[in-house]
Amino acid sequence: MSSIGFEDAPDWEAMREDAERELAFQDEIERPLREAGLPVPDPTRRRREIAPERLDVVALWRGLSDEEREAIGVLGLGLLVSGGMASRAELTAPAATRAYTAHYHACLDALGTLPTPESAMAALRGPAWRIPADLGPVCLSCGCSEADACPGGCGWEDERQIRCTVCASPPPLDDDSIPF
Ligand SMILES: [Zn+2]
Ligand SMILES: [Zn+2]
């Protein structure tokens, strides 16, 4: 009699190799974070991903060196100038808009590849990720925020604004358990 299922013995060797590969992959991802002192949440110990403490970006900006501030500021100003002029020139000077747009994107790309300042890295070291305070309230469980609600919408559980209503309510029953 043929049947589907458990006739073949499990391939323990293959399973062990899979597990080892998985562990090596995990280590490859986590090692650089650990070496930098950045958070590596451990789901088995229920360590939270998001810290209740927030990152004060204004204070970080004020603490930057003149060189760091200049490198960031020049690119930020470039975005404002070229972004603003690209739209203003659009109807009367399309060639200028084209060039402004190219500069805008060059500034954006350059800003995205600047290294994170060392003082910011120092402020981010710890057991859980600190989210910039100027984002406003953030759900410590799922990371949703005022302009990034959960699918279907959510609100705050209470006035502390650290857990959203989706995370606060129990998970819905499986469809199978509904008898009709
Ligand atoms: Zn949530
Ligand atoms: Zn939410």
Side-chain angles (χ1 to χ4, degrees):
M1 186 176 115
S2 72
S3 68
I4 311 164
F6 303 97
E7 287 185 332
D8 297 329
D11 188 344
W12 297 113
E13 185 61 18
M15 284 166 77
R16 194 180 56 81
E17 278 171 17
D18 278 354
E20 273 173 9
R21 240 195 313 274
E22 177 90 2
L23 274 178
F25 179 65
Q26 189 81 357
D27 184 58
E28 206 174 295
I29 292 170
E30 292 180 356
R31 199 178 331 115
L33 291 166
R34 287 212 173 84
E35 283 172 0
L38 292 171
V40 183
D42 179 353
T44 60
R45 281 192 277 166
R46 300 178 62 79
R47 192 184 288 165
R48 58 165 90 246
E49 290 179 32
I50 298 179
E53 301 82 22
R54 304 296 293 270
L55 191 68
D56 184 346
V57 179
V58 176
L60 283 178
W61 172 260
R62 291 184 179 146
L64 292 180
S65 68
D66 288 346
E67 293 75 26
E68 288 171 321
R69 232 182 287 182
E70 173 145 332
I72 298 167
V74 164
L75 294 173
L77 183 58
L79 284 177
L80 294 182
V81 169
S82 288
M85 297 315 116
S87 57
R88 282 184 176 85
E90 196 171 11
L91 296 178
T92 55
T97 285
R98 178 181 174 181
Y100 278 132
T101 303
H103 180 245
Y104 176 89
H105 287 293
C107 288
L108 199 57
D109 289 349
L111 203 54
T113 55
L114 279 185
T116 307
E118 186 43 46
S119 54
M121 293 295 284
L124 286 160
R125 289 188 185 111
W129 292 100
R130 292 178 186 210
I131 308 299
D134 50 306
L135 182 63
V138 168
C139 176
L140 302 185
S141 300
C142 73
C144 75
S145 51
E146 293 288 346
D148 177 31
C150 292
C154 61
W156 298 111
E157 181 191 26
D158 59 32
E159 71 281 356
R160 292 175 303 160
Q161 300 187 318
I162 56 170
R163 196 156 72 140
C164 79
T165 47
V166 168
C167 292
S169 61
L173 297 170
D174 289 344
D175 285 348
D176 292 346
S177 66
I178 299 172
F180 49 86

